[in-house]
Amino acid sequence: MRKILSLLMSLVVSMTLWAETTNVTVSMYKKVTQSTGVTYQLLNENMSRMYIFPIENLPVGAEDVEYGKTYTLTDMNQYSYWIEQATYTYAMYTAASFKVTANEEGKIRIDAEVTDQNGDTYILLYDEAAIPEMPKGGTFTADTVVVTRYKGEIQYAFETNDPRFAFVFDFLLAEGEEDIEAGVTYTTLDMNLTYSVGYYQFQPCIQYKTVSFVKTFAEDGSATIVVQVVDENDYTWNWTGTIPAPLDPTKQHLEYDTFDENFEHHFTTYDLNLDNLVNGYAILTAYDIVNMRMVYLQFWTRPGVEQFGAGVYPIDYTQADYTVNASSGAQEGGMTPSFVGTLVNDGDTYYPNQLWLLVTGSVTVREDGVIIIEGQNSYGRTVKAVLYPDGYQALEDAQMDDLKPRKVLHNGQILIIQQDRKFTITGNMVY
């Protein structure tokens, strides 16, 4: 239970929290100089949370904090941290201290402490002297290859367990393309960005002089990527990364998935977050606290679009345009969408409890804002859900079968709806 709660903290509906003190090891920091001061961003060692210190109370012309001086909350113009998960969670600082020192070798040490509005205190330490130096070339195997699509590009990030260390390769995609070609050797000229960075671009860039990038597929659908990079200092980096075969939901049951029940529920409201449409995805969440039910879906749209369109979105693993991400199960980094579930109340905090991890099916988004989920989890259990937008009230019990006509109250008018056709109560079609 401990693991699943930690995986899903970004989806918590929280009302009260208990206070505690936590020691935090900082793996990386980033300093951003601004016209009015300097902001330090501290990232904890498992890369799940960033603590932000925007220090404004600096002398005229100063571009950094004074080493050895302790800065407090009164020296900062905002006080917040965020958690990197499916959504961002913010908390305000009610107390803060921040101090930078350096040893004789110039190694930086940062000591900071914050208390948030929940009463929780975090004691932060970054010690550059305790962090090993970055390698200068060598042969490496990526622990994870993360593939991300955005703005007509596809990005391959070769990540390791060292949070400072990642190589990133960006490729422009032609209209209609979903991926680069297999078996083709790509070079530096084929890439939009040609440098490596640590996670979140906290580390200085390593400029690429030459790159050889080849992706090949095995019969089971898995992929192997072999990369050689020569950087601007003539160090050679050889990388190998693998992308596992797509999950076959008929052969693999996902961790924490529900095996003995079906799911069926109506939601009277939902939230569709369209802030990331330019990056090619939208996020849907729905909560029914009265009946203790929830939904989380991630839609892939077309990168750069400005609107979220009606239509049928298949649930699968392709991350293709106009699909819904299928769930790959519970992972240490968080829950991969999509899923529905029940909620449990633990001290006025609501957590996802029983889960149906969607692996196949479809999500229909209608023109009137109604969203219909018809899917299955990895055990073949049926998931049916209807989600109504705010202000859309059914006058009769809604039918799960969308082919059956039903009466609804929409914008103050009684309508009869069957599939995408709308009629007034007297039988006239509404266009």
Side-chain angles (χ1 to χ4, degrees):
M1 188 65 178
R2 179 198 62 79
K3 179 180 178 182
I4 194 62
L5 291 182
S6 66
L7 296 177
L8 297 171
M9 282 302 293
S10 65
L11 301 174
V12 167
V13 182
S14 178
M15 299 176 69
T16 62
L17 296 171
W18 54 90
E20 61 180 21
T21 299
T22 304
N23 291 316
V24 178
T25 300
V26 178
S27 295
M28 295 182 289
Y29 79 92
K30 183 177 182 179
K31 180 179 66 177
V32 180
T33 302
Q34 298 157 327
S35 59
T36 57
V38 62
T39 296
Y40 277 81
Q41 300 169 358
L42 277 58
L43 193 67
N44 69 347
E45 61 185 345
N46 70 0
M47 298 168 290
S48 64
R49 182 174 294 180
M50 178 188 290
Y51 300 84
I52 303 173
F53 297 87
I55 300 172
E56 300 292 305
N57 208 1
L58 298 180
V60 176
E63 295 183 353
D64 201 355
V65 297
E66 180 181 338
Y67 284 11
K69 178 180 177 179
T70 298
Y71 294 82
T72 64
L73 197 62
T74 57
D75 301 309
M76 306 174 196
N77 75 337
Q78 65 184 44
Y79 337 105
S80 63
Y81 66 74
W82 54 255
I83 299 172
E84 170 67 18
Q85 289 287 356
T87 58
Y88 297 135
T89 301
Y90 295 85
M92 303 302 292
Y93 299 164
T94 59
S97 67
F98 184 88
K99 181 172 70 173
V100 180
T101 55
N103 63 17
E104 293 180 354
E105 298 177 348
K107 300 290 187 180
I108 297 298
R109 175 181 171 125
I110 299 174
D111 292 270
E113 181 175 321
V114 295
T115 301
D116 64 22
Q117 80 264 19
N118 300 311
D120 295 328
T121 297
Y122 301 90
I123 300 172
L124 311 165
L125 173 63
Y126 173 82
D127 188 357
E128 187 179 8
I131 297 176
E133 291 187 8
M134 291 284 287
K136 298 178 180 179
T139 299
F140 305 90
T141 299
D143 294 295
T144 306
V145 179
V146 177
V147 183
T148 306
R149 300 180 310 124
Y150 64 100
K151 296 182 180 179
E153 299 180 10
I154 189 167
Q155 179 187 90
Y156 290 84
F158 283 51
E159 301 182 350
T160 70
N161 290 326
D162 184 341
R164 304 168 302 136
F165 193 27
F167 270 49
V168 179
F169 306 91
D170 273 351
F171 300 87
L172 289 172
L173 295 176
E175 181 70 23
E177 287 185 345
E178 299 291 341
D179 200 352
I180 61 174
E181 292 187 48
V184 174
T185 300
Y186 290 86
T187 66
T188 313
L189 296 177
D190 301 312
M191 301 179 193
N192 190 36
L193 296 177
T194 55
Y195 54 79
S196 70
V197 295
Y199 294 113
Y200 304 115
Q201 299 186 14
F202 270 53
Q203 296 302 309
C205 299
I206 300 173
Q207 297 292 331
Y208 298 166
K209 182 185 292 184
T210 64
V211 178
S212 171
F213 186 106
V214 183
K215 178 180 180 180
T216 57
F217 284 97
E219 291 184 1
D220 65 355
S222 62
T224 299
I225 301 174
V226 177
V227 181
Q228 184 177 86
V229 173
V230 177
D231 67 25
E232 60 185 347
N233 296 313
D234 290 326
Y235 295 122
T236 300
W237 308 75
N238 293 293
W239 280 89
T240 301
T242 58
I243 300 174
L247 292 175
D248 184 345
T250 64
K251 297 179 180 179
Q252 179 173 347
H253 300 309
L254 301 180
E255 189 178 15
Y256 299 114
D257 208 354
T258 297
F259 65 90
D260 59 349
E261 296 181 45
N262 298 326
F263 180 97
E264 185 169 331
H265 194 65
H266 293 190
F267 293 82
T268 58
T269 185
Y270 63 83
D271 178 63
L272 188 60
N273 186 327
L274 305 179
D275 293 343
N276 295 291
L277 281 182
V278 69
N279 295 323
Y281 68 92
I283 293 173
L284 180 143
T285 52
Y287 297 97
D288 181 349
I289 300 301
V290 174
N291 296 292
M292 303 292 275
R293 297 290 188 272
M294 69 164 294
V295 172
Y296 180 88
L297 304 176
Q298 181 170 318
F299 292 82
W300 284 110
T301 61
R302 184 174 295 280
V305 300
E306 297 180 356
Q307 295 182 342
F308 181 83
V312 179
Y313 294 74
I315 301 171
D316 60 38
Y317 298 97
T318 64
Q319 296 188 354
D321 293 343
Y322 307 109
T323 65
V324 168
N325 259 5
S327 180
S328 298
Q331 303 171 348
E332 285 296 342
M335 173 62 64
T336 302
S338 296
F339 65 93
V340 302
T342 61
L343 294 169
V344 61
N345 187 350
D346 182 9
D348 292 327
T349 300
Y350 294 87
Y351 296 95
N353 184 29
Q354 190 178 13
L355 303 176
W356 286 258
L357 306 182
L358 294 172
V359 298
T360 189
S362 64
V363 177
T364 301
V365 180
R366 296 197 331 205
E367 293 284 354
D368 60 0
V370 175
I371 296 176
I372 301 169
I373 302 172
E374 297 175 295
Q376 291 185 342
N377 73 352
S378 66
Y379 288 92
R381 291 297 176 180
T382 299
V383 174
K384 294 183 178 180
V386 178
L387 294 76
Y388 295 98
D390 291 340
Y392 190 113
Q393 293 179 305
L395 297 183
E396 300 175 348
D397 289 338
Q399 301 291 334
M400 293 302 297
D401 183 356
D402 191 43
L403 296 177
K404 297 180 180 180
R406 65 189 187 284
K407 295 178 183 177
V408 300
L409 179 63
H410 186 49
N411 292 335
Q413 183 182 18
I414 296 178
L415 299 178
I416 300 173
I417 296 182
Q418 183 179 30
Q419 291 184 287
D420 291 330
R421 295 180 296 175
K422 305 175 188 177
F423 303 88
T424 66
I425 198 68
T426 57
N428 296 319
M429 181 175 288
V430 177
Y431 295 93

mmCIF file of all heavy atoms in Angstrom, residues 12-47:
data_model
loop_
_atom_site.group_PDB
_atom_site.id
_atom_site.type_symbol
_atom_site.label_atom_id
_atom_site.label_comp_id
_atom_site.label_asym_id
_atom_site.label_seq_id
_atom_site.Cartn_x
_atom_site.Cartn_y
_atom_site.Cartn_z
ATOM 1 N N VAL A 12 -3.867 13.261 -5.683
ATOM 2 C CA VAL A 12 -4.547 13.299 -4.400
ATOM 3 C C VAL A 12 -5.483 14.505 -4.333
ATOM 4 O O VAL A 12 -5.137 15.595 -4.747
ATOM 5 C CB VAL A 12 -3.517 13.347 -3.250
ATOM 6 C CG1 VAL A 12 -4.196 13.715 -1.934
ATOM 7 C CG2 VAL A 12 -2.819 12.008 -3.120
ATOM 8 N N VAL A 13 -6.657 14.305 -3.783
ATOM 9 C CA VAL A 13 -7.551 15.403 -3.448
ATOM 10 C C VAL A 13 -7.385 15.628 -1.958
ATOM 11 O O VAL A 13 -7.902 14.884 -1.154
ATOM 12 C CB VAL A 13 -9.013 15.068 -3.783
ATOM 13 C CG1 VAL A 13 -9.916 16.255 -3.479
ATOM 14 C CG2 VAL A 13 -9.127 14.662 -5.231
ATOM 15 N N SER A 14 -6.649 16.664 -1.557
ATOM 16 C CA SER A 14 -6.221 16.805 -0.172
ATOM 17 C C SER A 14 -6.970 17.928 0.518
ATOM 18 O O SER A 14 -7.163 18.990 -0.030
ATOM 19 C CB SER A 14 -4.712 17.082 -0.113
ATOM 20 O OG SER A 14 -4.305 17.257 1.226
ATOM 21 N N MET A 15 -7.343 17.685 1.768
ATOM 22 C CA MET A 15 -8.004 18.714 2.563
ATOM 23 C C MET A 15 -7.152 19.107 3.766
ATOM 24 O O MET A 15 -7.029 20.271 4.096
ATOM 25 C CB MET A 15 -9.375 18.217 3.014
ATOM 26 C CG MET A 15 -10.304 17.904 1.844
ATOM 27 S SD MET A 15 -11.877 17.224 2.352
ATOM 28 C CE MET A 15 -12.612 18.619 3.125
ATOM 29 N N THR A 16 -6.536 18.145 4.448
ATOM 30 C CA THR A 16 -5.638 18.443 5.544
ATOM 31 C C THR A 16 -4.462 17.504 5.494
ATOM 32 O O THR A 16 -4.561 16.385 5.011
ATOM 33 C CB THR A 16 -6.345 18.289 6.906
ATOM 34 O OG1 THR A 16 -6.766 16.934 7.058
ATOM 35 C CG2 THR A 16 -7.526 19.228 7.040
ATOM 36 N N LEU A 17 -3.303 17.961 6.003
ATOM 37 C CA LEU A 17 -2.099 17.149 6.074
ATOM 38 C C LEU A 17 -1.516 17.283 7.468
ATOM 39 O O LEU A 17 -1.769 18.250 8.176
ATOM 40 C CB LEU A 17 -1.073 17.618 5.032
ATOM 41 C CG LEU A 17 -1.474 17.470 3.573
ATOM 42 C CD1 LEU A 17 -0.446 18.170 2.697
ATOM 43 C CD2 LEU A 17 -1.602 16.016 3.186
ATOM 44 N N TRP A 18 -0.728 16.293 7.893
ATOM 45 C CA TRP A 18 -0.069 16.386 9.172
ATOM 46 C C TRP A 18 1.356 16.905 8.960
ATOM 47 O O TRP A 18 1.974 16.708 7.942
ATOM 48 C CB TRP A 18 -0.061 15.011 9.859
ATOM 49 C CG TRP A 18 0.514 13.932 9.025
ATOM 50 C CD1 TRP A 18 1.807 13.525 8.953
ATOM 51 C CD2 TRP A 18 -0.197 13.077 8.109
ATOM 52 N NE1 TRP A 18 1.963 12.500 8.069
ATOM 53 C CE2 TRP A 18 0.753 12.198 7.538
ATOM 54 C CE3 TRP A 18 -1.541 12.958 7.725
ATOM 55 C CZ2 TRP A 18 0.402 11.230 6.616
ATOM 56 C CZ3 TRP A 18 -1.875 11.983 6.806
ATOM 57 C CH2 TRP A 18 -0.908 11.152 6.263
ATOM 58 N N ALA A 19 1.877 17.576 9.981
ATOM 59 C CA ALA A 19 3.193 18.198 9.877
ATOM 60 C C ALA A 19 4.287 17.171 10.148
ATOM 61 O O ALA A 19 4.131 16.255 10.949
ATOM 62 C CB ALA A 19 3.289 19.354 10.859
ATOM 63 N N GLU A 20 5.431 17.361 9.464
ATOM 64 C CA GLU A 20 6.586 16.509 9.694
ATOM 65 C C GLU A 20 7.829 17.257 9.219
ATOM 66 O O GLU A 20 7.753 18.269 8.539
ATOM 67 C CB GLU A 20 6.457 15.176 8.963
ATOM 68 C CG GLU A 20 6.367 15.314 7.454
ATOM 69 C CD GLU A 20 6.232 13.959 6.764
ATOM 70 O OE1 GLU A 20 5.815 12.982 7.414
ATOM 71 O OE2 GLU A 20 6.540 13.901 5.561
ATOM 72 N N THR A 21 9.002 16.744 9.626
ATOM 73 C CA THR A 21 10.278 17.306 9.208
ATOM 74 C C THR A 21 11.016 16.275 8.374
ATOM 75 O O THR A 21 11.120 15.107 8.760
ATOM 76 C CB THR A 21 11.132 17.699 10.422
ATOM 77 O OG1 THR A 21 10.432 18.684 11.173
ATOM 78 C CG2 THR A 21 12.469 18.269 9.985
ATOM 79 N N THR A 22 11.545 16.706 7.225
ATOM 80 C CA THR A 22 12.197 15.795 6.282
ATOM 81 C C THR A 22 13.545 16.353 5.870
ATOM 82 O O THR A 22 13.644 17.526 5.505
ATOM 83 C CB THR A 22 11.321 15.598 5.026
ATOM 84 O OG1 THR A 22 10.025 15.139 5.423
ATOM 85 C CG2 THR A 22 11.950 14.584 4.081
ATOM 86 N N ASN A 23 14.581 15.520 5.935
ATOM 87 C CA ASN A 23 15.890 15.880 5.395
ATOM 88 C C ASN A 23 15.920 15.546 3.912
ATOM 89 O O ASN A 23 15.592 14.429 3.517
ATOM 90 C CB ASN A 23 17.002 15.130 6.123
ATOM 91 C CG ASN A 23 17.173 15.600 7.548
ATOM 92 O OD1 ASN A 23 17.169 16.792 7.819
ATOM 93 N ND2 ASN A 23 17.306 14.664 8.480
ATOM 94 N N VAL A 24 16.306 16.500 3.090
ATOM 95 C CA VAL A 24 16.281 16.333 1.640
ATOM 96 C C VAL A 24 17.699 16.484 1.086
ATOM 97 O O VAL A 24 18.364 17.497 1.337
ATOM 98 C CB VAL A 24 15.359 17.388 0.984
ATOM 99 C CG1 VAL A 24 15.383 17.247 -0.534
ATOM 100 C CG2 VAL A 24 13.943 17.247 1.513
ATOM 101 N N THR A 25 18.155 15.467 0.346
ATOM 102 C CA THR A 25 19.424 15.569 -0.364
ATOM 103 C C THR A 25 19.166 16.148 -1.747
ATOM 104 O O THR A 25 18.327 15.645 -2.488
ATOM 105 C CB THR A 25 20.100 14.196 -0.500
ATOM 106 O OG1 THR A 25 20.354 13.671 0.808
ATOM 107 C CG2 THR A 25 21.423 14.313 -1.255
ATOM 108 N N VAL A 26 19.881 17.209 -2.081
ATOM 109 C CA VAL A 26 19.710 17.877 -3.372
ATOM 110 C C VAL A 26 20.774 17.371 -4.331
ATOM 111 O O VAL A 26 21.966 17.441 -4.039
ATOM 112 C CB VAL A 26 19.812 19.407 -3.210
ATOM 113 C CG1 VAL A 26 19.693 20.096 -4.557
ATOM 114 C CG2 VAL A 26 18.737 19.908 -2.253
ATOM 115 N N SER A 27 20.342 16.825 -5.465
ATOM 116 C CA SER A 27 21.271 16.288 -6.451
ATOM 117 C C SER A 27 21.770 17.351 -7.419
ATOM 118 O O SER A 27 22.885 17.254 -7.928
ATOM 119 C CB SER A 27 20.607 15.158 -7.244
ATOM 120 O OG SER A 27 20.326 14.069 -6.398
ATOM 121 N N MET A 28 20.930 18.340 -7.684
ATOM 122 C CA MET A 28 21.290 19.356 -8.661
ATOM 123 C C MET A 28 20.663 20.681 -8.265
ATOM 124 O O MET A 28 19.632 20.712 -7.603
ATOM 125 C CB MET A 28 20.794 18.968 -10.057
ATOM 126 C CG MET A 28 21.427 17.721 -10.645
ATOM 127 S SD MET A 28 20.817 17.392 -12.310
ATOM 128 C CE MET A 28 19.142 16.888 -11.955
ATOM 129 N N TYR A 29 21.278 21.749 -8.692
ATOM 130 C CA TYR A 29 20.659 23.048 -8.532
ATOM 131 C C TYR A 29 20.857 23.826 -9.825
ATOM 132 O O TYR A 29 21.765 23.570 -10.614
ATOM 133 C CB TYR A 29 21.246 23.819 -7.342
ATOM 134 C CG TYR A 29 22.570 24.488 -7.607
ATOM 135 C CD1 TYR A 29 22.632 25.814 -8.048
ATOM 136 C CD2 TYR A 29 23.767 23.802 -7.447
ATOM 137 C CE1 TYR A 29 23.843 26.437 -8.307
ATOM 138 C CE2 TYR A 29 24.985 24.413 -7.701
ATOM 139 C CZ TYR A 29 25.017 25.730 -8.133
ATOM 140 O OH TYR A 29 26.214 26.332 -8.403
ATOM 141 N N LYS A 30 19.997 24.799 -10.013
ATOM 142 C CA LYS A 30 20.089 25.675 -11.175
ATOM 143 C C LYS A 30 19.918 27.111 -10.707
ATOM 144 O O LYS A 30 19.026 27.403 -9.893
ATOM 145 C CB LYS A 30 19.010 25.333 -12.207
ATOM 146 C CG LYS A 30 19.079 26.152 -13.490
ATOM 147 C CD LYS A 30 18.018 25.685 -14.468
ATOM 148 C CE LYS A 30 18.085 26.434 -15.792
ATOM 149 N NZ LYS A 30 17.064 25.960 -16.750
ATOM 150 N N LYS A 31 20.750 27.996 -11.202
ATOM 151 C CA LYS A 31 20.689 29.407 -10.837
ATOM 152 C C LYS A 31 20.286 30.211 -12.063
ATOM 153 O O LYS A 31 20.896 30.102 -13.111
ATOM 154 C CB LYS A 31 22.046 29.877 -10.315
ATOM 155 C CG LYS A 31 22.087 31.340 -9.894
ATOM 156 C CD LYS A 31 23.457 31.717 -9.362
ATOM 157 C CE LYS A 31 24.519 31.636 -10.465
ATOM 158 N NZ LYS A 31 25.845 32.078 -9.988
ATOM 159 N N VAL A 32 19.246 31.019 -11.911
ATOM 160 C CA VAL A 32 18.741 31.855 -13.001
ATOM 161 C C VAL A 32 18.864 33.313 -12.574
ATOM 162 O O VAL A 32 18.240 33.733 -11.592
ATOM 163 C CB VAL A 32 17.279 31.522 -13.338
ATOM 164 C CG1 VAL A 32 16.784 32.404 -14.471
ATOM 165 C CG2 VAL A 32 17.137 30.050 -13.697
ATOM 166 N N THR A 33 19.674 34.074 -13.299
ATOM 167 C CA THR A 33 19.860 35.492 -12.984
ATOM 168 C C THR A 33 18.784 36.314 -13.677
ATOM 169 O O THR A 33 18.510 36.136 -14.860
ATOM 170 C CB THR A 33 21.249 35.970 -13.421
ATOM 171 O OG1 THR A 33 22.240 35.163 -12.771
ATOM 172 C CG2 THR A 33 21.469 37.420 -13.056
ATOM 173 N N GLN A 34 18.167 37.218 -12.916
ATOM 174 C CA GLN A 34 17.127 38.078 -13.450
ATOM 175 C C GLN A 34 17.485 39.535 -13.171
ATOM 176 O O GLN A 34 18.409 39.824 -12.410
ATOM 177 C CB GLN A 34 15.785 37.717 -12.788
ATOM 178 C CG GLN A 34 15.362 36.284 -13.089
ATOM 179 C CD GLN A 34 14.400 35.742 -12.041
ATOM 180 O OE1 GLN A 34 14.500 36.088 -10.891
ATOM 181 N NE2 GLN A 34 13.487 34.894 -12.481
ATOM 182 N N SER A 35 16.751 40.432 -13.767
ATOM 183 C CA SER A 35 17.066 41.850 -13.611
ATOM 184 C C SER A 35 16.877 42.329 -12.183
ATOM 185 O O SER A 35 17.521 43.277 -11.737
ATOM 186 C CB SER A 35 16.189 42.684 -14.549
ATOM 187 O OG SER A 35 14.818 42.473 -14.269
ATOM 188 N N THR A 36 15.997 41.664 -11.451
ATOM 189 C CA THR A 36 15.704 42.104 -10.088
ATOM 190 C C THR A 36 16.313 41.224 -9.014
ATOM 191 O O THR A 36 16.106 41.455 -7.833
ATOM 192 C CB THR A 36 14.183 42.155 -9.872
ATOM 193 O OG1 THR A 36 13.634 40.860 -10.144
ATOM 194 C CG2 THR A 36 13.542 43.180 -10.778
ATOM 195 N N GLY A 37 17.030 40.180 -9.416
ATOM 196 C CA GLY A 37 17.600 39.289 -8.411
ATOM 197 C C GLY A 37 18.074 37.997 -9.020
ATOM 198 O O GLY A 37 18.454 37.941 -10.193
ATOM 199 N N VAL A 38 18.036 36.931 -8.238
ATOM 200 C CA VAL A 38 18.486 35.629 -8.701
ATOM 201 C C VAL A 38 17.569 34.567 -8.109
ATOM 202 O O VAL A 38 17.087 34.706 -6.977
ATOM 203 C CB VAL A 38 19.959 35.374 -8.286
ATOM 204 C CG1 VAL A 38 20.111 35.363 -6.774
ATOM 205 C CG2 VAL A 38 20.475 34.060 -8.879
ATOM 206 N N THR A 39 17.287 33.535 -8.898
ATOM 207 C CA THR A 39 16.441 32.438 -8.440
ATOM 208 C C THR A 39 17.257 31.152 -8.433
ATOM 209 O O THR A 39 17.882 30.791 -9.435
ATOM 210 C CB THR A 39 15.215 32.261 -9.348
ATOM 211 O OG1 THR A 39 14.402 33.432 -9.254
ATOM 212 C CG2 THR A 39 14.387 31.058 -8.926
ATOM 213 N N TYR A 40 17.230 30.452 -7.311
ATOM 214 C CA TYR A 40 17.845 29.134 -7.200
ATOM 215 C C TYR A 40 16.746 28.079 -7.213
ATOM 216 O O TYR A 40 15.733 28.211 -6.514
ATOM 217 C CB TYR A 40 18.635 29.012 -5.897
ATOM 218 C CG TYR A 40 20.036 29.592 -5.952
ATOM 219 C CD1 TYR A 40 20.245 30.956 -5.810
ATOM 220 C CD2 TYR A 40 21.144 28.767 -6.135
ATOM 221 C CE1 TYR A 40 21.521 31.495 -5.859
ATOM 222 C CE2 TYR A 40 22.423 29.289 -6.189
ATOM 223 C CZ TYR A 40 22.611 30.656 -6.045
ATOM 224 O OH TYR A 40 23.883 31.169 -6.090
ATOM 225 N N GLN A 41 16.955 27.053 -8.029
ATOM 226 C CA GLN A 41 16.023 25.928 -8.091
ATOM 227 C C GLN A 41 16.774 24.686 -7.637
ATOM 228 O O GLN A 41 17.779 24.309 -8.227
ATOM 229 C CB GLN A 41 15.499 25.745 -9.515
ATOM 230 C CG GLN A 41 14.770 26.965 -10.043
ATOM 231 C CD GLN A 41 14.481 26.876 -11.528
ATOM 232 O OE1 GLN A 41 14.852 25.909 -12.184
ATOM 233 N NE2 GLN A 41 13.817 27.885 -12.072
ATOM 234 N N LEU A 42 16.293 24.036 -6.589
ATOM 235 C CA LEU A 42 16.944 22.867 -6.010
ATOM 236 C C LEU A 42 16.093 21.637 -6.278
ATOM 237 O O LEU A 42 14.892 21.622 -5.969
ATOM 238 C CB LEU A 42 17.135 23.037 -4.501
ATOM 239 C CG LEU A 42 18.361 23.817 -4.023
ATOM 240 C CD1 LEU A 42 18.393 25.228 -4.602
ATOM 241 C CD2 LEU A 42 18.402 23.875 -2.504
ATOM 242 N N LEU A 43 16.694 20.605 -6.844
ATOM 243 C CA LEU A 43 15.975 19.390 -7.218
ATOM 244 C C LEU A 43 16.421 18.254 -6.315
ATOM 245 O O LEU A 43 17.618 17.984 -6.173
ATOM 246 C CB LEU A 43 16.254 19.045 -8.676
ATOM 247 C CG LEU A 43 15.358 17.989 -9.328
ATOM 248 C CD1 LEU A 43 13.933 18.494 -9.451
ATOM 249 C CD2 LEU A 43 15.901 17.616 -10.700
ATOM 250 N N ASN A 44 15.466 17.553 -5.696
ATOM 251 C CA ASN A 44 15.838 16.473 -4.782
ATOM 252 C C ASN A 44 16.356 15.263 -5.553
ATOM 253 O O ASN A 44 16.247 15.177 -6.777
ATOM 254 C CB ASN A 44 14.669 16.105 -3.873
ATOM 255 C CG ASN A 44 13.522 15.440 -4.610
ATOM 256 O OD1 ASN A 44 13.468 15.446 -5.839
ATOM 257 N ND2 ASN A 44 12.588 14.875 -3.869
ATOM 258 N N GLU A 45 16.939 14.299 -4.840
ATOM 259 C CA GLU A 45 17.721 13.260 -5.493
ATOM 260 C C GLU A 45 16.891 12.295 -6.324
ATOM 261 O O GLU A 45 17.412 11.654 -7.237
ATOM 262 C CB GLU A 45 18.550 12.488 -4.463
ATOM 263 C CG GLU A 45 17.745 11.775 -3.396
ATOM 264 C CD GLU A 45 18.648 11.133 -2.361
ATOM 265 O OE1 GLU A 45 19.855 11.013 -2.640
ATOM 266 O OE2 GLU A 45 18.168 10.750 -1.276
ATOM 267 N N ASN A 46 15.609 12.117 -6.038
ATOM 268 C CA ASN A 46 14.807 11.246 -6.898
ATOM 269 C C ASN A 46 14.024 12.029 -7.948
ATOM 270 O O ASN A 46 13.157 11.488 -8.622
ATOM 271 C CB ASN A 46 13.863 10.375 -6.064
ATOM 272 C CG ASN A 46 12.755 11.161 -5.416
ATOM 273 O OD1 ASN A 46 12.666 12.382 -5.569
ATOM 274 N ND2 ASN A 46 11.911 10.482 -4.681
ATOM 275 N N MET A 47 14.346 13.333 -8.089
ATOM 276 C CA MET A 47 13.823 14.173 -9.166
ATOM 277 C C MET A 47 12.309 14.307 -9.141
ATOM 278 O O MET A 47 11.674 14.504 -10.159
ATOM 279 C CB MET A 47 14.269 13.636 -10.523
ATOM 280 C CG MET A 47 15.750 13.623 -10.710
ATOM 281 S SD MET A 47 16.225 12.668 -12.167
ATOM 282 C CE MET A 47 15.832 11.016 -11.616
#
